[in-house]
């Protein structure tokens, strides 16, 4: 942390505070809250052992004001401090708080850059300036050159920048799937679990089976296990989905990176070392490194470049409320039930489950992108607005009109059937295009394209799709749209009646 690096251990006080506002601004998964508070408490212990003075305010402290601003004000008065060091915010709403502190408290506030990222925000702004379009692939190449990762001189290793085409293989049950290490709660974590269970008894998500690392040592152990047991197959199967197997070959480290338990550049260098040692194939190493120095850094840059207005983008005019089954998991669509069910159990789903299952359904059904954004922000352990918002509004929902992605990620049930085993156990038939038993994704896909034709027909990546639509017999087109309309009518009726709200986060 840049604020710790700039501080004086013999003079300064480290303020850490658990505040109600941060647990309730969306109805966070209870495991997400436990992860953050337990990691904070363990880190406070480590700082004290290292000789720091730590002023730690717990969530259940009767004097706790419930906000960052309130606790900063109390701490400044408590310690008679004349200066505040803080690392730059990770979310716009927190930045707005920090920007007001100097005037509010009459105190010098020094905001330092967040060094847990590879690309400083001013450098991203320089890269983006005067470009007619922003594409992650070109930014990623610059990051490869800057870091030297997977480079042979000035050329990309293997002669190509991107091996994504080799990373789309489905999985079968007969492949070896490693059991992933989970960490039993220690006394500190169990105390937090008990606190959150009591404070949010109706909150979203299971608390049983919490197994996330909450210390740097355990996060390092989890990453080492990934390197040795899963990385080699991560590339081939990173887009695959299997019922009952939530973790597959994925790294499971995004939450650790996002709170600073792991260092982004360090993990990339260790993955590169595995490839150079001949222990993993290049497509696996490149796919992993692209997600971190490419996509992760890119969406952070987009977030800060386009906020605060970015949150309200809705280029396709989608307005349907978020269906209740996103919270309950109670749906006959097996793919949705599986993705939401494991989200409730683990506060985790991998990127294809988010993008091509829950995200694609929302896109096809015309769900309000802001409502979907708030759901993703709430339910995933690694979700912070700087990374989640661009992924949801831009990548998943095309709500920014193509700033982040060159086309909408719309797909029929055939994609899910190809990349998963979900369809085999579904009440709906993925081979049927219309009718009561047809996979809803099939008719919704064509209905989405038809109702957004004025906005999307000119997209060069959708030319062949619209040509197929235009060649269809009029009766077939009508049947697809009628089937989609009937499903959406049922969806709206299911959510009608007494107003349903997200799981209670009052407490």
């Amino acid at each position: 942390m840049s604020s710790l690096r700039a501080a004086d251990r013999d003079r300064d006080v480290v303020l850490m505070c658990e505040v109600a506002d941060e647990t309730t601004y969306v109805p966070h998964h209870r495991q997400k809250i436990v992860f953050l508070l337990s990691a904070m408490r363990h880190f406070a212990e480590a700082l004290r052992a290292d000789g720091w003075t730590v002023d730690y305010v717990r969530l259940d402290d009767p004097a706790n004001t419930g906000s960052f601003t309130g606790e900063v004000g109390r701490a400044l008065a408590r310690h008679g401090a004349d200066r505040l060091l803080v690392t730059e915010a990770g979310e716009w709403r927190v930045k707005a708080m920090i920007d007001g502190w100097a005037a509010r408290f009459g105190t010098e506030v020094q905001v330092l850059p967040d060094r847990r990222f590879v690309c400083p925000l001013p450098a991203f702004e320089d890269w983006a300036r005067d470009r007619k379009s922003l594409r992650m692939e070109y930014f990623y190449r610059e990051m490869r050159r800057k870091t030297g990762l997977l480079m042979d001189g000035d050329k990309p290793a293997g002669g190509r920048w991107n091996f994504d085409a080799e990373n789309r293989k489905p999985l079968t049950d007969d492949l070896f799937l490693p059991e992933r290490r989970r960490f039993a709660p220690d006394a500190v974590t169990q105390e937090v679990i008990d606190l959150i269970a009591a404070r949010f008894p109706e909150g979203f998500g299971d608390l049983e089976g919490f197994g996330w690392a909450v210390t740097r040592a355990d996060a390092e152990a989890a990453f080492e296990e990934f390197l040795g047991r899963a990385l080699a197959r991560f590339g081939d199967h990173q887009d695959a989905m299997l019922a009952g197997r939530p973790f597959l070959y994925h790294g499971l480290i995004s939450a650790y990176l996002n709170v600073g338990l792991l260092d982004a550049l360090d993990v990339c260098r260790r993955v590169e070392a595995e490839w150079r040692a001949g222990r993993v194939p290049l497509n696996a190493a490149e796919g992993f490194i692209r997600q971190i120095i490419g996509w992760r850094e890119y969406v952070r840059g987009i977030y800060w470049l386009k906020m605060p207005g970015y949150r309200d983008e809705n280029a396709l005019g989608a307005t349907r409320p978020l269906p209740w089954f996103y919270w309950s998991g109670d749906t006959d669509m097996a793919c949705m039930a599986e993705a939401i069910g494991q989200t409730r159990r683990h506060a985790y789903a991998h990127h294809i489950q988010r993008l091509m299952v829950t995200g694609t359904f929302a896109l096809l059904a015309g769900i309000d992108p802001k409502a979907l954004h708030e759901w993703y922000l709430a339910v995933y352990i690694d979700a912070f607005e700087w990374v989640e918002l661009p992924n949801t509004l831009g990548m998943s929902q095309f709500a920014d009109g193509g700033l982040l992605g060159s086309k909408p990620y719309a797909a029929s049930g055939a994609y899910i059937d190809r990349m998963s085993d979900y369809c085999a156990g579904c009440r709906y038939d993925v081979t049927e295009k219309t009718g009561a038993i047809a996979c809803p994704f099939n008719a919704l896909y064509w209905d989405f394209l038809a109702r957004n034709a004025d906005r999307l027909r000119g997209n060069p990546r959708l030319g062949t799709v619209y040509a197929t639509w235009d060649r269809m017999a009029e009766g077939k087109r009508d049947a697809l749209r009628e089937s989609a309309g009937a499903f959406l009518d049922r969806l709206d009726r299911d959510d009608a009646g007494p107003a349903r709200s997200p799981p209670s986060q009052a407490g």
Side-chain angles (χ1 to χ4, degrees):
M1 291 289 291
S2 55
S3 50
L4 278 176
R5 188 178 299 181
D8 184 334
R9 189 189 329 239
D10 297 326
R11 178 196 64 200
D12 294 332
V13 175
V14 177
L15 173 65
M16 299 180 69
C17 45
E18 306 170 356
V19 295
D21 283 359
E22 297 305 301
T23 65
T24 58
Y25 70 92
V26 291
H28 297 288
H29 197 297
R30 293 186 298 172
Q31 285 194 32
K32 181 181 183 182
I33 304 173
V34 170
F35 166 68
L36 288 165
L37 300 195
S38 181
M40 287 171 61
R41 293 185 183 191
H42 282 90
F43 187 53
E45 289 182 357
L47 287 175
R48 290 185 179 113
D50 197 36
W52 291 89
T53 299
V54 181
D55 182 354
Y56 197 99
V57 182
R58 295 193 172 209
L59 189 65
D60 53 357
D61 184 333
N64 191 331
T65 62
S67 72
F68 283 148
T69 297
E71 289 312 298
V72 167
R74 285 208 309 140
L76 288 170
R78 194 160 54 241
H79 300 290
D82 58 6
R83 186 169 65 119
L84 181 67
L85 295 174
V86 60
T87 297
E88 64 188 352
E91 296 190 352
W92 185 270
R93 62 186 181 81
V94 180
K95 179 182 184 300
M97 297 179 206
I98 294 172
D99 288 347
W101 286 348
R104 184 183 184 101
F105 300 122
T107 301
E108 177 189 350
V109 178
Q110 185 177 357
V111 181
L112 302 166
D114 192 340
R115 301 187 185 279
R116 292 171 295 181
F117 295 90
V118 181
C119 181
L121 293 174
F124 185 88
E125 292 170 2
D126 289 344
W127 174 83
R129 188 174 294 113
D130 300 327
R131 290 181 180 266
K132 292 182 179 179
S133 63
L134 303 177
R135 289 292 174 260
M136 189 279 290
E137 180 66 25
Y138 302 113
F139 171 76
Y140 169 54
R141 294 178 187 184
E142 289 298 313
M143 296 299 289
R144 289 271 294 275
R145 295 185 182 102
K146 174 183 175 180
T147 61
L149 287 163
L150 298 180
M151 297 295 293
D152 290 334
D154 60 352
K155 303 292 183 183
R160 290 159 50 193
W161 292 104
N162 188 315
F163 289 81
D164 193 42
E166 299 175 19
N167 293 347
R168 298 171 183 169
K169 298 175 184 176
L171 272 169
T172 56
D173 277 326
D174 58 346
L175 278 175
F176 168 73
L177 290 171
E179 290 296 327
R180 308 307 297 278
R181 184 171 180 183
R182 308 288 283 165
F183 299 87
D186 63 7
V188 173
T189 301
Q190 189 58 55
E191 183 181 23
V192 176
I193 290 172
D194 294 342
L195 170 67
I196 299 309
R199 194 174 183 95
F200 305 120
E202 304 300 324
F204 179 80
D206 299 343
L207 284 172
E208 298 79 8
F210 180 92
W212 297 100
V214 292
T215 66
R216 178 168 183 174
D218 282 350
E220 291 283 358
F223 181 63
E224 284 292 335
E225 183 211 49
F226 166 70
L227 290 178
R229 303 187 66 194
L231 174 61
R233 288 186 182 267
F234 163 76
D236 289 349
H237 302 296
Q238 64 179 280
D239 288 5
M241 298 173 281
L242 276 184
R245 300 305 296 260
F247 303 134
L248 303 176
Y249 299 105
H250 288 274
L252 310 183
I253 65 166
S254 54
Y256 308 147
L257 289 170
N258 291 351
V259 302
L261 292 178
L262 294 176
D263 178 79
L265 192 55
D266 174 66
V267 299
C268 288
R269 285 172 174 157
R270 287 154 71 182
V271 165
E272 180 188 38
E274 292 296 301
W275 169 68
R276 294 200 181 275
R279 289 187 286 269
V280 304
L282 181 55
N283 70 305
E286 189 277 321
F288 178 92
I289 288 170
R290 175 163 26 94
Q291 286 192 11
I292 295 180
I293 68 166
W295 194 251
R296 181 176 185 265
E297 298 281 334
Y298 178 71
V299 297
R300 177 182 182 246
I302 291 290
Y303 176 81
W304 287 107
L305 195 65
K306 297 300 180 181
M307 282 295 282
Y310 194 75
R311 188 189 294 113
D312 297 317
E313 295 280 353
N314 191 355
L316 299 182
T319 58
R320 178 166 278 105
L322 186 76
W324 176 249
F325 64 69
Y326 271 79
W327 296 108
S328 69
D330 185 13
T331 172
D332 287 338
M333 290 178 285
C335 57
M336 293 289 287
E338 181 70 23
I340 295 167
Q342 78 168 55
T343 296
R344 289 181 62 90
R345 289 187 295 275
H346 302 296
Y348 171 83
H350 70 68
H351 65 287
I352 294 299
Q353 292 171 309
R354 301 187 203 191
L355 177 65
M356 300 305 297
V357 179
T358 54
T360 292
F361 179 84
L363 176 70
L364 301 183
I367 291 169
D368 182 343
K370 190 172 183 179
L372 186 72
H373 143 62
E374 291 175 348
W375 182 78
Y376 280 122
L377 183 60
V379 303
Y380 290 115
I381 195 167
D382 56 2
F384 296 88
E385 196 177 68
W386 64 265
V387 63
E388 175 276 325
L389 180 64
N391 271 303
T392 301
L393 261 69
M395 179 80 163
S396 174
Q397 300 302 292
F398 205 70
D400 62 8
L403 172 70
L404 204 70
S406 57
K407 74 174 184 67
Y409 275 83
S412 69
Y415 175 86
I416 296 171
D417 191 33
R418 183 169 67 253
M419 297 307 300
S420 78
D421 64 352
Y422 297 160
C423 299
C426 187
R427 180 180 81 79
Y428 296 106
D429 187 341
V430 72
T431 66
E432 293 288 330
K433 303 299 186 285
T434 60
I437 68 165
C439 170
F441 280 76
N442 292 336
L444 287 175
Y445 170 72
W446 291 109
D447 183 65
F448 165 79
L449 291 168
R451 71 175 184 267
N452 289 291
D454 289 347
R455 300 179 179 96
L456 298 177
R457 186 178 282 275
N459 188 305
R461 296 190 64 188
L462 294 176
T464 58
V465 178
Y466 276 107
T468 300
W469 174 253
D470 293 340
R471 288 194 301 269
M472 283 186 194
E474 185 175 355
K476 184 176 181 180
R477 291 200 300 263
D478 289 345
L480 286 164
R481 299 214 66 190
E482 288 172 7
S483 188
F487 176 83
L488 293 174
D489 285 344
R490 292 195 302 273
L491 183 67
D492 292 341
R493 286 197 303 271
D494 288 345
D495 274 357
R500 284 173 166 176
S501 57
S504 173
Q505 209 77 334

